[in-house]
Amino acid sequence: MTAPATTGSRAPRDGARRAAPVSTYRLQLGPDLTFDEAARQVPYLASLGVTHLYLSPVLQAAPGSTHGYDVVDHGRISVEMGGRAGLERLAECAHAAGLGMVLDVVPNHMAVPTPAWHNRALWSVLQHGPQSPYASWFDVDWSTDDGAVLMPVLGVRLGDALAAGDLVLDEIVVPHVPRDAGVADAAVDGGTPTTVLRYYEHVFPVREGTEDLPLAELVERQHYRLAYWRVGDEELNYRRFFDVGTLAAVRVEDEDVFDATHALVLDLVRTGVVDGLRIDHPDGLADPAQYLERLAQRTDGAWVVVEKILAGEEQVPPDWATVGTTGYDVAWRLQQLFVDPGGRAGLDATMTRLTGAPPGGLEGVVEQAKREVVAGPLYAEVHRLTDLAAAVCHDDPRLRDHTWRGLHQCLRELLVAFDRYRAYVVPGTPPRHEAVRAVEEAAERARVHLDPQRAETLDVVVDLVLGRETGSAGRRREPRRDELVVRFQQVCGAVMAKGVEDTAFYRWTELVSLCEVGGEPDRFSVGVHDWHAFAQRVAALTPLALTAGSTHDTKRGEDTRAALGVLSEDTAGWARVVDAVRAASAPYRGVLVDGLAENLLWQTVAGTWQPDAPALPGADTDVERDGPRSASGAIDAERLVDYLRKALREAKVRTSWTGTDEAYERAVKDLARKALEDPDVLRAFERWSHDHREELRAASLGIKLVQLTAPGVADVYQGSESYGPTLVDPDNRRPVDVEDLARRLARLDDGGVARTLGDEKLLVTSRALRLRRASPEAFVGPEAGYAPLATSTPCALGFARTVSGAARVVTVATRLHGTVRRLGGWRDHVVTLPDAPTGWLDVLTGRRHAAGTVPLERLFEELPVALLVEDGDA
């Protein structure tokens, strides 16, 4: 049923023949979805056709965690989810239904929880400092702050907190929870009375022998330094996850730390509870290749994918022991495959009319955002880099005249100019050509922004970050030089993530669906031939990597992006909608509302409009509608307001998480709420939805079918098997009504007619997943291939999945349906189906088609997509 895993494009490691998934279904576990509750979904998921459950992180997380990426104990399965016993019950249930399990692993960081004792390793470090047995776990610079870990948790400056009496000594019982605790016995197992320093809900250990000192002196004598929260961006002395001070980086490059933090996960793989692993953010590690190699050795070559953002045509480094990425590179190309290239000018005109033309276009927006994060939330990281470079230069007489200021300027400009997450330079190893080119090209871009007198300093910086010999002869492998090589790459990733993904992509509103995690919005649209070339490359290089549509991290779900893509197919009509809703909302649109918020608001309403909601009075539609009745297809006001608040704070233009403009946010919130109550606004969006319902139908079903049948292991995010226009977390992590999905699937299986777009998507998803499960050799087998099909129009995409060159499965999808409609239908356009002695059967409709030339009008008579197998094989 399944094919052996490979490492990149290489053969299985050391002859290992572990089974790889054919498809996965992502479950967001947590207090609202425990292991036992997930087990109750197994019959439905087996019926849907998936082969593996894909679990979010399951290790013990910080109190109140809703996602699991804030681990506090690597040796314990989440008590809230059901403990190890609950996980094993889920595995037993899944295996009994023929399903495997994939686990999300977080190696890069741990939580700095409140209270801190929940992370016992961190608590030990705070209590004992460098002498703690866990001191090697965390990437702390003990040379600063008199050997104290900076804890920027105070709401005021330290002196004010002392004067106000906010810091007090207290005695608490720090509970001991056994590592094999389950739900029933997770309560306190004894405990230790401990003197602590308390600041509201925060508690910290008190260094032995300092309990009786005056409070101000006691505070100074600890292995941690309490500080005002804003100090963290300028003086933080431990590496963190991007700019998140509550997530401290872990040094898994140390083999002892790796073994300690991975023992439980490795045991889950060894005992067969878990069949594969998804690695979160390997770019944050000191040496991702070393980590993955070690993981492969310890798991005997298990199937492992990595969360990796690839820039442009960048590839996963060939020395990584992984089958490939989690599929961001597939997701953005799929989205842009269904975007009309001719729509860019119109959407750009609307954005410019509302927001003004940003200098330098998207490139200028990205550069400005990166400059802001380098100078702001990531200043401490850049400062530490500069200190390292300055120390290296000071120790070498030939480099001593390169000043701290000059090095800081050059590092800053190089980080801003760097166009990817890192270069993958390993100290002591000659860098790959791609790494050298990435750094040197960034240096040429940086040079333009530097005084010519800094040219030699920039050359030194480039040599240092590439691990080259520079300065005195033979000066290459030194601890500080090696550390600089590694840290520069780790900071590169943070600058890209915070500057591009979390800032610029919230500022650029030309077509907001393109501003996705790992996306390339400047590519706007992907043509059929570009898609075929990409798919063939995936089939050749990473055939067992994940393909993604929606994920827990996407800023918008796949259906929201599909609906927004339709804007590109009728930009003149969209401009009229914007004019209409602006005119209607003018009386209550406050003067503080800017164009960024407006363009984001109107696109978000359009993207999240439910096409199967009942028509509004006066909307002049003739659509037969089924399903739950509501006042309109508009998004719930609370969901919209919460999303706008998060998006605008991430954009950091008028408001931010650390500098909230309450008046501005209130004005935007009021506009959003009143717009959703305005009949004129709602009718404008209803008319848009009605007039473009077939374009949306084609895009939603087409994107899903292509994703599920393209090269790679198909991933389905929870709930995305049906139509669901979701937004960024926590919106996309809401509970899924699995009972409703199961009932609808059963009705479709019994021959019931699809009543809504959601039903049609469920039909497409289930039939594609079942076909993958029944014929894995065509999708993930060693002889599986991808062959483009000839069509007479770029509005139809066709390809075959082959086995040893022979077509076994055929996908044909409508793209740019608006163009088809404007041209009066498919007319004489055709697709050429491969040879098949008995012809082809569409498993979605039951229709039969002969091999050879087939009119698209006939193929798409019932649905805008077709999934074909050789007649007699179904």
Side-chain angles (χ1 to χ4, degrees), residues 589-595 597 654 661-668:
R589 190 172 64 247
V591 295
L592 293 180
V593 177
D594 60 355
R654 293 282 298 277
D661 186 331
E662 293 183 1
Y664 169 73
E665 291 189 2
R666 186 164 53 251
V668 175

Side-chain angles (χ1 to χ4, degrees), residues 472-532:
S472 300
R475 302 291 290 269
R476 177 181 293 175
R477 292 303 311 283
E478 298 172 355
R480 281 175 173 161
R481 291 185 182 227
D482 287 356
E483 185 179 356
L484 181 61
V485 169
V486 172
R487 285 200 185 281
F488 176 79
Q489 296 179 81
Q490 291 172 320
V491 176
C492 276
V495 172
M496 284 292 291
K498 300 308 299 181
V500 180
E501 310 286 345
D502 291 348
T503 304
F505 279 7
Y506 280 105
R507 295 178 179 179
W508 186 252
T509 60
E510 180 182 64
L511 182 59
V512 296
S513 57
L514 307 190
C515 295
E516 193 47 81
V517 177
E520 300 276 351
D522 240 5
R523 287 282 296 273
F524 197 78
S525 180
V526 170
V528 169
H529 296 300
D530 288 337
W531 167 262
H532 286 318

Side-chain angles (χ1 to χ4, degrees), residues 398-414:
R398 294 182 181 275
L399 299 178
R400 196 165 292 164
D401 286 345
H402 294 286
T403 66
W404 191 98
R405 182 181 180 187
L407 291 164
H408 179 76
Q409 290 175 354
C410 291
L411 283 165
R412 181 190 64 205
E413 293 300 332
L414 191 59

Side-chain angles (χ1 to χ4, degrees), residues 236-389:
L236 198 69
N237 63 346
Y238 64 85
R239 188 168 61 85
R240 54 189 172 169
F241 175 67
F242 300 150
D243 65 343
V244 184
T246 55
L247 294 175
V250 179
R251 297 183 62 255
V252 292
E253 63 270 23
D254 183 316
E255 189 166 6
D256 290 339
V257 177
F258 175 94
D259 289 340
T261 57
H262 285 69
L264 176 53
V265 168
L266 295 176
D267 184 62
L268 293 174
V269 176
R270 180 184 60 80
T271 56
V273 174
V274 169
D275 304 288
L277 303 173
R278 179 261 195 194
I279 306 303
D280 183 68
H281 186 51
D283 276 343
L285 306 179
D287 189 346
Q290 176 209 59
Y291 170 82
L292 292 168
E293 183 69 27
R294 188 174 287 157
L295 192 65
Q297 292 172 353
R298 301 288 205 278
T299 62
D300 194 25
W303 181 87
V304 172
V305 290
V306 292
E307 185 208 21
K308 165 66 186 154
I309 291 175
L310 300 169
E313 302 305 314
E314 182 187 9
Q315 297 292 301
V316 174
D319 58 342
W320 282 19
T322 175
V323 297
T325 77
T326 53
Y328 296 144
D329 49 334
V330 176
W332 76 258
R333 286 176 172 86
L334 269 174
Q335 160 70 26
Q336 269 115 300
L337 179 63
F338 289 79
V339 169
D340 190 334
R344 183 163 202 175
L347 291 171
D348 184 71
T350 298
M351 177 183 69
T352 301
R353 182 157 55 92
L354 267 61
T355 69
L362 176 59
E363 185 177 347
V365 172
V366 168
E367 180 182 326
Q368 178 61 28
K370 291 171 78 173
R371 289 190 182 283
E372 290 173 15
V373 300
V374 163
L378 295 179
Y379 176 81
E381 280 77 4
V382 182
H383 191 286
R384 190 173 179 185
L385 265 183
T386 307
D387 283 347
L388 266 176

Side-chain angles (χ1 to χ4, degrees), residues 570-728:
D570 182 10
T571 58
W574 173 246
R576 289 192 293 271
V577 171
V578 172
D579 288 342
V581 297
R582 295 197 78 218
S585 62
Y588 51 82
R589 190 172 64 247
V591 295
L592 293 180
V593 177
D594 60 355
L596 169 65
E598 258 205 277
N599 210 25
L600 183 63
L601 167 61
W602 306 133
Q603 288 197 30
T604 302
V605 173
T608 54
W609 194 271
Q610 283 283 1
D612 295 316
L616 287 158
D620 191 26
T621 66
D622 57 1
V623 185
E624 290 187 10
R625 300 180 183 275
D626 300 280
R629 296 287 174 177
S630 61
S632 75
I635 184 175
D636 175 75
E638 292 306 314
R639 286 178 60 204
L640 178 60
V641 167
D642 288 347
Y643 168 73
L644 291 172
R645 181 189 300 113
K646 177 167 184 171
L648 293 172
R649 288 183 180 182
E650 294 287 2
K652 308 172 193 66
V653 176
R654 293 282 298 277
T655 189
S656 68
W657 295 107
T658 58
T660 303
D661 186 331
E662 293 183 1
Y664 169 73
E665 291 189 2
R666 186 164 53 251
V668 175
K669 178 185 70 175
D670 289 345
L671 171 61
R673 289 187 184 280
K674 290 175 181 177
L676 294 185
E677 297 170 352
D678 187 331
D680 291 334
V681 170
L682 295 177
R683 275 192 288 269
F685 282 107
E686 174 64 35
R687 283 192 294 269
W688 170 267
S689 176
H690 169 259
D691 291 346
H692 300 85
R693 62 191 185 279
E694 289 304 318
E695 285 89 332
L696 172 59
R697 183 178 181 232
S700 176
L701 300 182
I703 289 171
K704 195 64 176 178
L705 181 59
V706 173
Q707 183 243 326
L708 294 177
T709 55
V713 173
D715 176 45
V716 177
Y717 184 70
Q718 60 178 27
S720 69
E721 65 267 40
S722 181
Y723 189 85
T726 58
L727 297 167
V728 74

